[in-house]
């Protein structure tokens, strides 16, 4: 059935409205830029990525803000605090982990290295003012579930280098946490360190 000849948009007894459209007549009164567009004389402006980023004042400000944020993130990644190291009252503490694959099952070693006391605290430790350092190690899998909860290791710190370490069988371990307790007459504190197991 052909519906093209059915008149629409008028009441009974009135004549239907007739619409006439002439593109040429409409373009006679249009601005020159519109006429050029319809004639195909205009080409789209393609400034390139960098020109678009600095085309307006707002774009330049956004670009500057993005670059500044990126620099802050990079600076923090390289020079910010690390999860596996901490210094408490001049005592540097570093948790290091590694996998040793000589045996058939493989073993994971976790070591808390305690460094020399900083210069301003050098006289604070030793001569009867030793610090008892206790490290409790926990081995975690990729889901951060505790796989092994190792016994704690204890040593007495008198200002020089020392280390506290444990080893465990590698059951697809991912990281190690160490809770370090420092105790003496003037200190009663705890430091938590975490390190991924390097393979």
């Amino acid at each position: 059935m052909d519906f093209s000849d059915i008149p629409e948009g008028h009441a009974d007894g009135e004549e239907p409205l007739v619409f006439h459209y002439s593109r040429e007549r409409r373009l006679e009164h249009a601005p020159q830029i519109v006429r050029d567009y319809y004639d195909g004389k205009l080409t789209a402006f393609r400034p390139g990525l960098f020109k678009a980023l600095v085309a307006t004042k707002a774009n330049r400000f956004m670009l500057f803000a993005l670059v500044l944020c990126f620099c802050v993130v990079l600076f923090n990644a390289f020079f910010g605090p690390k999860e596996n190291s901490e210094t408490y009252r001049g005592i540097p503490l570093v948790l290091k982990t590694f996998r040793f694959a000589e045996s058939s099952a493989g073993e994971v070693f976790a070591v808390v290295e305690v460094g020399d006391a900083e210069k301003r605290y050098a006289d604070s430790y030793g001569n009867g003012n030793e610090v008892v350092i206790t490290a409790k190690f926990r081995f975690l899998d990729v889901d951060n579930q505790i796989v092994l909860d190792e016994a704690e290791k204890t040593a007495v710190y008198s200002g020089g280098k020392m280390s506290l370490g444990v080893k465990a069988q590698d059951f697809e371990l991912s990281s190690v946490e160490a809770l370090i307790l420092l105790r003496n007459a003037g200190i009663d504190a705890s430091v938590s360190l975490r390190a991924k197991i390097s393979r």
Side-chain angles (χ1 to χ4, degrees):
M1 181 174 224
D2 185 18
F3 293 103
S4 61
D5 292 336
I6 297 176
E8 294 181 16
H10 64 89
D12 290 337
E14 293 181 7
E15 281 193 31
L17 294 173
V18 179
F19 295 100
H20 298 282
Y21 172 76
S22 169
R23 179 178 174 193
E24 291 77 21
R25 186 172 175 202
R26 185 178 65 82
L27 288 176
E28 283 176 3
H29 304 291
Q32 184 62 40
I33 192 167
V34 174
R35 286 185 249 160
D36 290 343
Y37 176 75
Y38 277 100
D39 291 339
K41 295 177 184 174
L42 284 182
T43 58
F45 176 64
R46 296 180 183 170
L49 178 63
F50 186 74
K51 285 185 181 178
L53 290 174
V54 295
T56 65
K57 191 173 185 179
N59 287 2
R60 288 189 292 273
F61 178 75
M62 289 299 292
L63 178 65
F64 175 73
L66 283 173
V67 169
L68 184 65
C69 289
F70 182 71
C71 291
V72 167
V73 168
L74 278 181
F75 182 83
N76 193 30
F78 287 109
F79 301 108
K82 304 284 187 219
E83 236 181 352
N84 70 327
S85 65
E86 181 78 35
T87 300
Y88 184 79
R89 286 201 179 177
I91 303 172
L93 304 163
V94 179
L95 174 61
K96 293 185 178 180
T97 62
F98 58 94
R99 184 173 185 271
F100 187 69
E102 282 292 318
S103 62
S104 61
E107 292 177 319
V108 173
F109 292 92
V111 178
V112 173
E113 293 182 352
V114 185
D116 292 328
E118 293 178 354
K119 288 183 181 179
R120 63 182 173 160
Y121 291 98
D123 298 334
S124 300
Y125 307 113
N127 300 330
N129 196 22
E130 287 82 10
V131 179
V132 177
I133 297 179
T134 304
K136 297 179 182 179
F137 295 91
R138 293 192 306 181
F139 293 86
L140 309 166
D141 63 6
V142 292
D143 297 324
N144 288 328
Q145 300 297 318
I146 298 172
V147 177
L148 296 169
D149 201 354
E150 286 294 315
E152 57 189 47
K153 298 289 182 177
T154 303
V156 177
Y157 179 73
S158 58
K161 290 183 180 179
M162 58 177 272
S163 61
L164 302 154
V166 293
K167 68 178 178 176
Q169 292 296 319
D170 188 5
F171 299 108
E172 298 300 319
L173 300 174
S174 171
S175 59
V176 178
E177 283 184 351
L179 179 64
I180 302 162
L181 305 170
L182 301 102
R183 290 190 193 101
N184 80 346
I187 301 174
D188 189 13
S190 65
V191 175
S192 182
L193 301 177
R194 184 180 178 126
K196 289 192 177 289
I197 297 172
S198 57
R199 299 188 178 271

